[in-house]
Amino acid sequence: MYRETQIIEADNKADGDDLVINVGPQHPATHGVLHLVIRLQGETIQKVEPHLGYIHRSIEKMCESLSYRQFIYVTSRMDYLSAHINNHACAMCVEKALQLEVPPRARVIRVLMDELTRIASHELWWGAMAMDLGAFTPFFYAFRERETINDIMEETCGARLTMNYMVPGGVMYDLHPNFQQRVKNFIQLFNNKIDEYDDLVTGNIIFQNRTKGVGVLTKEDAISFGCTGPVGRASGVSCDIRKLYPYEVYDKVSFDEIIEMGGDSFSRYLVRIKELRQSIRIIEQLIDNIPEGDIQAKTKAVLKLPKGEFYSRAETARGELGVYIVSEGGTTPYRIKFRSPGFSNLSALDHISRGSKIGDLMAIMGTLDLVIPDIDR
Amino acid sequence: MFSLEHITNSIQQWLYSTFSPTMALILECAIVMLLVIGLFATLGLVLVLMERKVAARMQIRLGPNRVGPKGILQTTADTLKLMMKEGLTPNGADKFLFNLAPFIVMIAAMLILAPIAFAKGFQIWDINIGVLYVSAVSSVSVIGILMAGWASNNKYSLLGAMRSGAQIVSYELSAGLSIISIVVLSGSLQISEIVASQQTGWWLFRGHIPAIISFVIFIIAVTAETNRAPFDLAEAESELTAGFHTEYSGMKFALLFLAEYINIFIVCAIGATLFLGGWMPLHIGNWEGFNHTMDYVPSSVWFMGKTFFLIFLIMWFRWTFPRLRIDQLLSLEWKYLLPISMFNLLLITLIAIMGWHF
Amino acid sequence: MTNNELKDHITQGQPSAVFDETGEWLNVQVEAGEWKAFANWLRHDALQMDYLFCLTCIDWPQTKHLMMVYHFTSTTFRHNVVIKVKLDRNNAEIETVSDIWRTAEFHEREVYDLFGVRFLHHPDLRRLILTDDFEGHPLKKDFEDPVNMIKL
């Protein structure tokens, strides 16, 4: 028995006949090694307590001994589903410190890659969430399209998951000649597929009953818990970093920040599905307008950041990613803090799942879109 | 024309002419036993393979395709593996109940097979309360599931078993009421007579809309009774890992798994018998030529065809729908299906009394 | 709101605050003892800093102190401010703010785990990531683990 369970069971004695179960660290619904200790009264959840650390690699400590070029590669392993955006945020932080001007071509490529990553991430989320609710088929549908994106990524960056494509000052390689055509093909294919997703899952009466009114997070709580990304926006909080603090070319493309007011699992679902269409919109505007030119700004081989503190924010598929670098003027960071969206979103789990059934917990966890390496950095 | 009835009759004649009546009866029992076990094994293999192929088809993938031609030996290989595996009994489990549970589930499934008419004149036991017998014995399996959940000494298993208990007991009502509606129409509890009453047409078509409603309710209720998605809460893998059979392994797991598929077969066979005429061929009104052609198809093929069509339907549900939540599951039964099926039974009684059916 | 306006407001709320404008956002340093009252003022008064988006700690062994860093945004006015609180390295204690910003509950547990800062009146101050019997606080600069740490 886990030590943590004993703690809860000890304070349980007073409450009488509650049942304590461990969900995870190996469990089909936790998508990784998240460990939840749940106190149940019958089927009703009294308390959810997350226990972290099963895959904590201490990336923040590791980065303290890596140079400003090297540490970016480690961040691909944080939120592995939006590796590009993690790399991007780190690169931006270093650029901010060095006051580097990124060439226009690199800016557009970065945004294109970010949005493709966002689509791929939401795809995986869509399949996995449907699987949490007991529908297996969507998972395979989602992976069919995600595969296309992964192929595009592989052709351009040489990797399918941990891309390591963004470097301080630009991107590592130029685009593959096939890139534009393949992305256009993908967009054409994908527009129909989103409708298919709606037919299969969104309109399903069982799915709607399972998610509507489940795990309601009010606007005030969402802000207080620091929930960002689709979770925050489903509660009516305007928190899209791409709109609020535009970086790269996000201020030059038109797209909508999706905001739903429901705050329940279904709203969180809708936000992500609608974001898929917005990402497509951004890609459509940029894919034919990639400027010619350099893909990297001229930088020194060894980067030295001036003394000071630098913070950059980027919108990953899960929410606001913050990179906080404290520099002492050397070649390695003195301290790095990653403000990961999943960590804050997870902290709201206990609050919103109290009083609901075990089945609801899976729906809530599914729509919070937790990626455990992002929480356990 | 191929008919199983002739084969069984000739075997019986030969037995009774060669041995004394008691000896012949014993031999008959032995043959039936072997046949049932053989049927179980084959059905298990076929249904699991079918499930995997249907699932693969719905999920745009190929499914098993390596072992044997087109993967048809995959399930055989899986069974062999399960037989070789060690059957673990967890620490702190109630060993007696833990080991007994799979057999209870299995025996309950075997017992229901008795009154089912597989073809014309091919039936193990044509008991005069056949339908009643089926609904009575099918409830026994819930005891096995509760036993498995309780004896495992696992909280997931316990939760799964409790869910399963609540679910099966509730949905028994709707399934029973749908069965009764056909009993009312045909005026008999005996399976052979229910099939014979559908000589002129299947009850699904002859009973107007109420019969269709009770068919739909029957399908929903038996999906729930066999713990299949979207009602697979007893083993909901994303919530309870594997529910009541979390702790089972090896052959004991295989028995529980097999019993699940046999139960699907049985409920679909009952459904086919009650609503789709059992082994009766499809006859349409006065189309003499058409009806005559249909008669040439062996009755066993008709029966299996209908049953497997229903099984396919249930598999289709599984790979399309998300799972319900426990309170939604129970409110669906008690608030919607039960009142509807009660009212429906009233309508069907009216139809039967007034002779309004075709 | 510009930095100067922010400064004016903060000086009204907290006269002893020390400002630093070298970074991207306005940095405000307050004393550990005054932190709780100041936090309440930040959240509920004129500035409406309702969104605590980053909470962390920095270890400075040379000057023997730990620096708590809080990043705030107001979702109504969209201004950012960074609050710093200096703590004694050997006896790091600070009042919790988890009752004001609920996200702090998890972040403070993380900081407690990795830096050993004790948050007074925190509802559930236990190690979040490491096991309960772990010794030391890994993100401190002088933390040594000869088995698991690889020096580059």
Side-chain angles (χ1 to χ4, degrees):
Chain A
M1 191 186 278
Y2 293 100
R3 198 179 325 99
E4 289 89 342
T5 319
Q6 281 169 343
I7 294 166
I8 294 194
E9 292 215 275
D11 74 47
N12 224 12
K13 295 241 160 61
D15 300 47
D17 52 4
D18 285 0
L19 186 68
V20 176
I21 61 170
N22 287 287
V23 174
Q26 265 128 46
H27 187 277
T30 53
H31 307 298
V33 282
L34 179 64
H35 177 197
L36 301 174
V37 179
I38 305 176
R39 198 161 83 194
L40 292 173
Q41 182 103 56
E43 286 255 348
T44 314
I45 292 168
Q46 306 291 77
K47 191 177 181 193
V48 179
E49 197 178 330
H51 289 286
L52 306 177
Y54 287 89
I55 48 165
H56 196 279
R57 295 140 295 172
S58 210
I59 286 183
E60 288 172 13
K61 182 87 178 172
M62 220 191 288
C63 289
E64 286 176 11
S65 57
L66 294 174
S67 78
Y68 288 110
R69 286 195 189 278
Q70 289 169 327
F71 91 95
I72 295 181
Y73 303 137
V74 186
T75 59
S76 297
R77 278 87 180 160
M78 271 167 28
D79 180 356
Y80 53 85
L81 290 179
S82 36
H84 267 316
I85 309 178
N86 295 349
N87 296 163
H88 191 172
C90 298
M92 276 199 305
C93 199
V94 175
E95 283 152 17
K96 202 179 251 181
L98 293 173
Q99 292 173 333
L100 273 178
E101 185 66 30
V102 180
R105 183 174 173 82
R107 285 166 176 267
V108 173
I109 293 176
R110 281 179 169 189
V111 169
L112 278 171
M113 287 301 183
D114 281 4
E115 292 310 312
L116 282 174
T117 310
R118 199 181 313 280
I119 293 175
S121 170
H122 283 349
E123 288 261 12
L124 191 134
W125 156 80
W126 182 76
M129 188 221 50
M131 206 155 75
D132 285 347
L133 294 178
F136 288 87
T137 311
F139 193 71
F140 292 88
Y141 279 51
F143 264 62
R144 177 182 55 186
E145 275 80 59
R146 187 170 177 271
E147 195 62 24
T148 326
I149 298 183
N150 276 352
D151 285 345
I152 296 172
M153 295 289 184
E154 189 181 5
E155 205 174 53
T156 307
C157 345
R160 292 163 69 86
L161 202 65
T162 50
M163 276 73 165
N164 308 331
Y165 184 58
M166 316 272 181
V167 292
V171 294
M172 195 176 256
Y173 318 108
D174 206 349
L175 290 175
H176 193 275
N178 288 343
F179 181 80
Q180 273 170 310
Q181 192 51 47
R182 288 187 77 158
V183 170
K184 276 183 208 159
N185 291 345
F186 168 73
I187 290 173
Q188 209 172 13
L189 168 97
F190 193 64
N191 273 328
N192 304 326
K193 295 299 179 195
I194 305 182
D195 298 335
E196 199 178 292
Y197 295 174
D198 282 345
D199 289 344
L200 190 60
V201 172
T202 318
N204 188 310
I205 181 80
I206 299 179
F207 174 78
Q208 293 195 357
N209 279 333
R210 279 296 301 277
T211 48
K212 276 187 181 163
V214 168
V216 180
L217 181 67
T218 59
K219 187 174 177 181
E220 288 71 33
D221 282 338
I223 298 172
S224 178
F225 276 111
C227 293
T228 48
V231 179
R233 290 196 284 281
S235 300
V237 186
S238 165
C239 56
D240 195 332
I241 303 297
R242 296 174 292 172
K243 278 277 180 207
L244 297 175
Y245 310 97
Y247 50 98
E248 310 299 6
V249 291
Y250 278 118
D251 47 349
K252 298 198 184 76
V253 289
S254 64
F255 67 100
D256 299 330
E257 179 179 6
I258 308 292
I259 292 183
E260 293 278 331
M261 302 310 288
D264 55 357
S265 288
F266 191 64
S267 306
R268 292 192 278 271
Y269 173 87
L270 280 185
V271 167
R272 290 204 180 84
I273 286 288
K274 288 180 182 171
E275 270 188 10
L276 283 175
R277 295 185 199 275
Q278 297 303 323
S279 292
I280 288 287
R281 229 176 108 189
I282 296 174
I283 295 173
E284 272 171 346
Q285 290 170 49
L286 291 177
I287 190 67
D288 283 321
N289 302 316
I290 307 176
E292 294 297 322
D294 288 341
I295 52 156
Q296 260 188 49
K298 293 258 183 303
T299 48
K300 288 189 192 125
V302 178
L303 298 176
K304 264 191 185 176
L305 259 60
K307 191 174 168 160
E309 293 171 10
F310 310 98
Y311 196 99
S312 73
R313 312 164 94 172
E315 178 80 12
T316 75
R318 258 149 289 280
E320 173 183 341
L321 173 74
V323 179
Y324 177 49
I325 297 182
V326 180
S327 165
E328 278 285 81
T331 54
T332 57
Y334 184 75
R335 162 116 176 90
I336 280 196
K337 156 85 183 168
F338 296 107
R339 185 261 184 224
S340 66
F343 190 77
S344 300
N345 291 354
L346 175 73
S347 65
L349 179 66
D350 178 39
H351 176 70
I352 60 178
S353 55
R354 281 191 192 195
S356 46
K357 303 276 184 287
I358 306 177
D360 289 337
L361 179 70
M362 306 308 153
I364 294 168
M365 265 177 16
T367 47
L368 284 184
D369 194 10
L370 303 171
V371 168
I372 313 306
D374 182 37
I375 298 163
D376 272 358
R377 292 161 315 254
Chain B
M1 197 174 79
F2 171 76
S3 166
L4 287 169
E5 192 178 16
H6 296 156
I7 304 172
T8 49
N9 282 345
S10 52
I11 291 176
Q12 193 177 21
Q13 271 165 17
W14 178 76
L15 280 174
Y16 276 90
S17 59
T18 334
F19 302 101
S20 67
T22 329
M23 193 61 196
L25 194 66
I26 292 171
L27 278 175
E28 256 185 357
C29 282
I31 294 172
V32 165
M33 226 149 68
L34 279 178
L35 279 178
V36 167
I37 292 171
L39 179 76
F40 260 54
T42 3
L43 268 183
L45 297 183
V46 170
L47 286 177
V48 174
L49 185 71
M50 175 177 166
E51 171 103 279
R52 292 180 66 174
K53 281 288 187 189
V54 168
R57 179 84 195 140
M58 305 223 164
Q59 298 172 343
I60 46 168
R61 58 194 174 91
L62 290 173
N65 60 354
R66 283 289 183 274
V67 191
K70 300 213 172 227
I72 52 172
L73 294 180
Q74 180 66 52
T75 44
T76 323
D78 288 347
T79 317
L80 274 176
K81 182 204 76 176
L82 281 173
M83 280 184 195
M84 311 257 201
K85 269 178 99 167
E86 186 187 357
L88 291 168
T89 309
N91 248 353
D94 187 329
K95 292 210 169 46
F96 177 65
L97 290 183
F98 184 79
N99 293 319
L100 185 65
F103 293 100
I104 289 199
V105 176
M106 196 69 189
I107 288 167
M110 276 193 180
L111 283 175
I112 317 176
L113 222 53
I116 290 173
F118 289 92
K120 197 179 179 187
F122 191 75
Q123 198 174 0
I124 297 171
W125 186 26
D126 191 13
I127 182 177
N128 59 354
I129 49 159
V131 173
L132 185 63
Y133 171 85
V134 167
S135 25
V137 174
S138 66
S139 334
V140 173
S141 68
V142 71
I143 296 175
I145 291 178
L146 282 174
M147 232 182 226
W150 175 254
S152 294
N153 189 29
N154 179 321
K155 289 165 184 170
Y156 287 129
S157 301
L158 185 63
L159 278 171
M162 289 304 148
R163 282 179 173 189
S164 173
Q167 180 180 337
I168 295 181
V169 168
S170 320
Y171 277 81
E172 202 104 283
L173 292 167
S174 295
L177 285 172
S178 318
I179 292 176
I180 288 174
S181 62
I182 297 303
V183 171
V184 167
L185 282 173
S186 61
S188 171
L189 287 166
Q190 198 168 355
I191 298 267
S192 59
E193 276 188 30
I194 291 176
V195 176
S197 71
Q198 304 184 62
Q199 176 106 47
T200 48
W202 305 347
W203 284 122
L204 182 63
F205 304 131
R206 284 171 63 200
H208 302 284
I209 292 169
I212 294 174
I213 293 175
S214 71
F215 177 68
V216 172
I217 290 178
F218 179 80
I219 289 292
I220 296 175
V222 297
T223 315
E225 255 192 90
T226 48
N227 288 330
R228 296 277 299 179
F231 307 103
D232 61 342
L233 286 115
E235 44 182 282
E237 76 299 306
S238 61
E239 296 159 28
L240 305 177
T241 54
F244 66 91
H245 57 61
T246 309
E247 296 286 357
Y248 282 88
S249 63
M251 211 48 217
K252 274 175 274 180
F253 166 74
L255 282 181
L256 285 172
F257 195 60
L258 187 62
E260 186 191 324
Y261 280 93
I262 301 298
N263 277 327
I264 297 163
F265 175 80
I266 286 165
V267 293
C268 290
I270 302 285
T273 309
L274 295 176
F275 294 93
L276 304 176
W279 46 263
M280 277 291 174
L282 176 66
H283 284 181
I284 299 175
N286 303 326
W287 297 11
E288 291 299 331
F290 176 79
N291 292 350
H292 211 61
T293 327
M294 286 293 140
D295 284 341
Y296 272 102
V297 180
S299 55
S300 50
V301 173
W302 273 111
F303 176 76
M304 284 295 171
K306 289 167 186 174
T307 308
F308 272 84
F309 168 71
L310 290 184
I311 293 176
F312 172 74
L313 212 62
I314 285 182
M315 286 182 179
W316 192 357
F317 294 159
R318 170 160 184 187
W319 300 110
T320 314
F321 293 133
R323 185 182 303 120
L324 270 80
R325 203 170 58 210
I326 182 76
D327 55 326
Q328 290 168 349
L329 177 93
L330 293 180
S331 69
L332 173 71
E333 162 65 18
W334 293 97
K335 287 188 188 157
Y336 301 97
L337 292 186
L338 190 62
I340 291 173
S341 49
M342 278 176 152
F343 184 69
N344 197 41
L345 182 63
L346 206 68
L347 281 181
I348 291 217
T349 319
L350 197 68
I351 288 173
I353 291 171
M354 307 303 279
W356 283 341
H357 56 78
F358 297 114
Chain C
M1 224 182 278
T2 62
N3 278 359
N4 282 335
E5 285 170 329
L6 274 176
K7 260 158 88 175
D8 291 344
H9 275 291
I10 291 172
T11 329
Q12 283 166 21
Q14 185 67 35
S16 65
V18 182
F19 298 100
D20 171 16
E21 282 184 86
T22 49
E24 183 185 2
W25 298 312
L26 179 68
N27 282 7
V28 185
Q29 194 171 333
V30 294
E31 290 298 316
E34 294 161 345
W35 164 233
K36 184 75 175 197
F38 182 53
N40 261 319
W41 180 85
L42 268 182
R43 170 68 184 84
H44 298 292
D45 258 302
L47 293 183
Q48 292 285 326
M49 293 292 183
D50 47 3
Y51 174 31
L52 169 65
F53 64 89
C54 187
L55 187 163
T56 189
C57 184
I58 307 166
D59 183 21
W60 300 96
Q62 290 87 3
T63 46
K64 293 208 167 40
H65 72 270
L66 289 168
M67 187 73 95
M68 287 296 300
V69 185
Y70 301 81
H71 287 73
F72 292 103
T73 293
S74 160
T75 52
T76 17
F77 305 118
R78 293 284 163 213
H79 45 225
N80 299 307
V81 70
V82 184
I83 313 290
K84 291 186 173 173
V85 186
K86 210 174 196 176
L87 303 176
D88 179 15
R89 193 162 183 273
N90 298 320
N91 184 27
E93 275 184 348
I94 188 171
E95 281 288 330
T96 176
V97 288
S98 58
D99 50 338
I100 308 174
W101 298 276
R102 301 191 62 177
T103 182
E105 186 178 330
F106 258 52
H107 279 96
E108 285 179 350
R109 274 180 74 183
E110 194 189 17
V111 170
Y112 167 71
D113 195 349
L114 302 176
F115 288 93
V117 178
R118 280 190 308 286
F119 292 90
L120 305 172
H121 306 111
H122 188 281
D124 184 22
L125 194 65
R126 285 181 290 131
R127 283 188 181 267
L128 180 68
I129 293 157
L130 297 161
T131 50
D132 290 349
D133 51 0
F134 191 87
E135 281 174 22
H137 301 283
L139 277 183
K140 281 192 167 175
K141 288 284 174 186
D142 52 3
F143 176 80
E144 288 293 338
D145 183 345
V147 183
N148 296 315
M149 255 169 80
I150 301 164
K151 279 263 158 63
L152 286 177

